[in-house]
Amino acid sequence: MQASELADEIGGRLVGDDVTIDGATIDSRAVRSGQLFVPIVAARDGHDFVGGAISAGAAAYLTSRGAVDGVDAPAITVDDTALALADVGRAARRRLPERVVGITGSVGKTSTKDLLAGLLSTTFRTAASEKSFNNELGLPLTLFNAPDDTEAAVVEMGARGVGHIELLCSIARPTVGIITRVEGVHLELFGSIEAVARAKGELVEALPADGIAVLNADHKHVAAMASRTSAQVLTYGLTPSADVVASDIVVDDQLRASFRLHTPWGSTEVRLAARGEHQVSNALAAAAAAGGLGVPVESMAAGLLGASLSGLRMELSTTDNGVVVLNDTYNANPTSMSAALRSLAALDARRRFAVLGTMAELGHDSAAEHEAIALQADSLGVQVIAVGEPTYGPTATHVADIDAAVAALDELGSGDAVLVKGSRVAALERVAEKLG
């Protein structure tokens, strides 16, 4: 897009030469040649990094401070760079086809996004959110960075409160919406699970009448959202009456599930590269959306097998001294923690340990949820090493920090298995790295 075109579309003013802009970023350390740099004003003022972004190859920059002194590059002046970035996303969306899928839910958004991208890529040129770019900054970047020949786009949508999904839908204008699950996650922000359901359901409310709402039939709060949309509804899950279901589920010794996939468009045998039996539900959601968009069932097995998950999710490795490490440290909540513990228990091991960090933003139920996870681990024969989180209770071994957690595992050897998991703030991937 030409800088002058973009300035017109977002209500800005171009200062300097007209140049071609190819993509956008808010991180001056990740600039690619030709991109638009968008300085965000937060804890640090992104305008301080404009010079570095231009030196790294950015073709132009947005600014709410006027042209930056000493920077010889075109600028698009706006009132607020964060709000302008949303308009950049809207401008990009107008150039994309109608196959835009939005995904939200308390658990499984990113994995479902990754699986769906693998499925759609068998049939369409597909763009998808990087990592977990799921907010009002990451989503516009996904749209604007989609290649010109994109035929389908997949965007993840997170919510920090009621109204956030509605805002993201005003940018992405999805034609397909997937709701994975509604759980008691982020209750510190939402207050109740009913508020979580109201927020997540904004996605299906935003769908056009000729769109598709993909709903998890196994979860009552999600299934109930069928009444909140005028779009076609496709259901998925282990509930036999769902439109897309799995049967004959088998999990191998590497935690990869195989099953028979049943859809309105036919059936096929599927094997997932993604680890954990809980990924079956995410695969069903992806298959429902892909089938609704025209991906033939005979392509689904290859698409699901070829899909790769974003980092720090159910990564299985073996150290030089034979210890199996299950690194699932991207994030944690009671649902994902429980699933990870069951996966650990399914591994062939003589001893099992779980290095667990805090599960953040659980609200008033936080202490009870942490202790429940520790009790589940105990019932599965898993020894919990709790890092800086006392509410895991008396069945856990408590340590103050990451170094202490690694020291507590000093005598591990062949035949032992360790799960490492916590919310992002815990940064427990460093434990997995130190274990080697």
Side-chain angles (χ1 to χ4, degrees), residues 213-217 223 226 233-237 239 241-245 264 284 288:
V214 178
L215 303 178
N216 190 337
V233 173
L234 286 174
T235 59
Y236 71 91
T239 301
S241 60
D243 297 310
V244 178
V245 299
L284 295 176

Side-chain angles (χ1 to χ4, degrees), residues 27-93:
D27 187 347
S28 62
R29 300 163 298 180
V31 169
R32 295 195 299 269
S33 179
Q35 285 188 315
L36 174 74
F37 177 64
V38 182
I40 301 299
V41 180
R44 294 188 296 178
D45 188 342
H47 291 84
D48 294 339
F49 303 95
V50 168
I54 297 301
S55 296
Y61 62 97
L62 289 187
T63 175
S64 60
R65 302 279 192 267
V68 175
D69 290 342
V71 176
D72 184 19
I76 299 175
T77 64
V78 295
D79 292 334
D80 184 302
T81 53
L83 294 178
L85 178 57
D87 288 332
V88 167
R90 292 184 178 97
R93 175 63 181 92

Side-chain angles (χ1 to χ4, degrees), residues 166-346:
E166 182 180 13
L167 169 63
L168 296 177
C169 287
S170 76
I171 300 169
R173 291 191 291 108
T175 55
V176 178
I178 299 175
I179 314 286
T180 58
R181 301 165 71 114
V182 170
E183 304 281 4
V185 178
H186 303 311
L187 291 185
E188 189 175 280
L189 301 172
F190 285 95
S192 69
I193 196 167
E194 289 76 19
V196 176
R198 283 199 301 275
K200 302 300 184 182
E202 291 167 6
L203 172 54
V204 297
E205 290 177 342
L207 296 174
D210 59 352
I212 303 171
V214 178
L215 303 178
N216 190 337
D218 297 335
H219 288 262
K220 64 178 184 179
H221 289 292
V222 179
M225 293 178 191
S227 64
R228 295 173 59 180
T229 184
S230 60
Q232 173 192 358
V233 173
L234 286 174
T235 59
Y236 71 91
L238 302 182
T239 301
S241 60
D243 297 310
V244 178
V245 299
S247 66
D248 305 317
I249 301 170
V250 177
V251 180
D252 68 16
D253 59 2
Q254 294 294 302
L255 303 180
R256 293 170 299 204
S258 299
F259 58 93
R260 184 156 185 83
L261 172 67
H262 305 273
T263 80
W265 314 282
S267 300
T268 189
E269 298 294 330
V270 167
R271 179 170 176 267
L272 300 180
R275 291 184 171 89
E277 187 172 353
H278 58 284
Q279 296 293 355
V280 173
S281 180
N282 297 330
L284 295 176
L293 287 173
V295 173
V297 71
E298 53 268 23
S299 298
M300 291 185 183
L304 288 170
L305 179 60
S308 57
L309 262 59
S310 300
L312 306 182
R313 290 170 172 83
M314 299 296 287
E315 296 177 351
L316 195 65
S317 62
T318 303
T319 68
D320 291 341
N321 62 340
V323 179
V324 175
V325 179
L326 184 58
N327 181 353
D328 196 36
T329 53
Y330 183 79
N331 217 332
N333 55 61
T335 301
S336 66
M337 192 73 87
S338 177
L341 285 171
R342 293 195 302 272
S343 294
L344 174 66

